[in-house]
Amino acid sequence: MSTKPAHTGPRDWDAEVYDRISDPQLRWAQEVLERLELRGDETVLDAGCGSGRVTALLLKRLPRGRVIAVDGSASMVAKARDSLGERADVRELDLAQLDLHEEVDLVFSNAVFHWIADHDNLFRPLHTALRPGGRLVAQCGGAGNVARLGEAIAAVAAQRRYAEHFEAMEGIWNFAPAEDTAERLARCGFADVRCWLERKAVRPTEPLDFLAVVTLGPFLQLLPSGSRDPFVADVAAAMGEPLVLAYVRLNIEAARP
């Protein structure tokens, strides 16, 4: 099984479970939102809105503004639409093929970009979506993110009962270094670029559901249904108890000149 990142396209998620267990992602988003300086009348793109929990926080900061929330997962989009109603313009779109046909003041994203293999192909359309002077503020997994979990997954996936299902599978995550990301953003036309890494430890309250939905989805979709729960349990066992995940977050700030 290759460890290099490969674009697998948007996959569907269990939006109901994700909505219930995504408190760590919500906390990270709240920290990023605290750095935003907003007048309250901007148009904001929530790039990878998930179930809409973070989008709801954005809307509170924009009493006279507008949020366009996009996600590549049909179930996430359905959940976000149900949760947000008419307060947000929720669209099912692949960020790697983004074309809004309009400009926004801010692109915000949380816990999404590491699922996209080609960051050049990601940053170019985000640059296009911004009006001149508009900003990109995002956080995703960065270099070193959940490294021990990756090792545990590789070890379990190599076991005889699972290995045949992963023979052609390539890497699913793109955990980029801060320096490489800053250079890439500059090449894509961004200015005032700031990128840095930040360590976060997470101890999920529902470890098996968290592993299955947040981290192992692309693996589980390759397994027969009867092998999925055992695979999650084996990865959890390889990690030990209590399950603690060593996250490394890549913070991104940039502007379109």
Side-chain angles (χ1 to χ4, degrees), residues 7-13 71-73 93-97 115 221:
H7 176 62
T8 55
R11 68 177 176 89
D12 212 1
W13 293 63
D71 203 281
S73 163
L93 289 174
D94 181 355
L95 282 180
Q97 301 176 23
W115 292 107
Q221 68 185 7

Side-chain angles (χ1 to χ4, degrees), residues 148-157 159 161-162 204 206-212 215-216 220 228-245:
R148 183 165 166 261
L149 174 63
E151 294 170 357
I153 294 171
V156 173
Q159 293 177 12
R161 56 178 166 168
Y162 303 123
E206 299 181 58
L208 294 182
D209 280 348
F210 193 93
L211 284 176
T215 64
L216 297 180
L220 299 183
R228 292 171 185 172
D229 287 346
F231 184 83
V232 174
D234 287 346
V235 171
M239 290 293 292
E241 294 184 7
L243 176 65
V244 178
L245 300 173

Side-chain angles (χ1 to χ4, degrees), residues 1-4 6 153-154 156-172 218-224 231:
M1 183 176 63
S2 170
T3 58
K4 68 180 180 180
I153 294 171
V156 173
Q159 293 177 12
R160 177 182 293 182
R161 56 178 166 168
Y162 303 123
E164 65 179 297
H165 302 290
F166 302 122
E167 288 176 354
M169 187 178 187
E170 295 187 329
I172 61 171
F219 293 92
L220 299 183
Q221 68 185 7
L222 297 178
L223 289 170
F231 184 83

Side-chain angles (χ1 to χ4, degrees), residues 112-256:
V112 175
F113 290 174
H114 55 266
W115 292 107
I116 299 174
D118 187 343
H119 280 180
D120 286 308
N121 196 41
L122 167 68
F123 294 147
R124 280 192 294 267
L126 293 183
H127 181 274
T128 299
L130 284 167
R131 65 164 179 79
R135 294 174 294 153
L136 166 64
V137 179
Q139 187 183 93
C140 61
N145 192 54
V146 291
R148 183 165 166 261
L149 174 63
E151 294 170 357
I153 294 171
V156 173
Q159 293 177 12
R160 177 182 293 182
R161 56 178 166 168
Y162 303 123
E164 65 179 297
H165 302 290
F166 302 122
E167 288 176 354
M169 187 178 187
E170 295 187 329
I172 61 171
W173 295 314
N174 184 3
F175 297 142
E179 298 81 2
D180 293 358
T181 301
E183 293 174 3
R184 184 168 287 112
L185 286 161
R187 289 198 304 269
C188 290
F190 284 94
D192 301 324
V193 175
R194 250 187 102 219
C195 298
W196 71 99
L197 298 176
E198 185 177 8
R199 296 186 179 276
K200 301 279 188 183
V202 171
R203 182 174 172 177
T205 56
E206 299 181 58
L208 294 182
D209 280 348
F210 193 93
L211 284 176
V213 174
V214 175
T215 64
L216 297 180
F219 293 92
L220 299 183
Q221 68 185 7
L222 297 178
L223 289 170
S225 58
S227 298
R228 292 171 185 172
D229 287 346
F231 184 83
V232 174
D234 287 346
V235 171
M239 290 293 292
E241 294 184 7
L243 176 65
V244 178
L245 300 173
Y247 278 89
V248 180
R249 312 313 293 162
L250 170 61
N251 292 281
I252 297 170
E253 295 182 0
R256 178 176 178 178

Side-chain angles (χ1 to χ4, degrees), residues 94-111:
D94 181 355
L95 282 180
Q97 301 176 23
L98 182 70
D99 187 356
L100 291 182
H101 303 291
E102 60 183 296
E103 292 182 338
V104 300
D105 300 292
L106 170 71
V107 173
F108 172 87
S109 186
N110 179 66

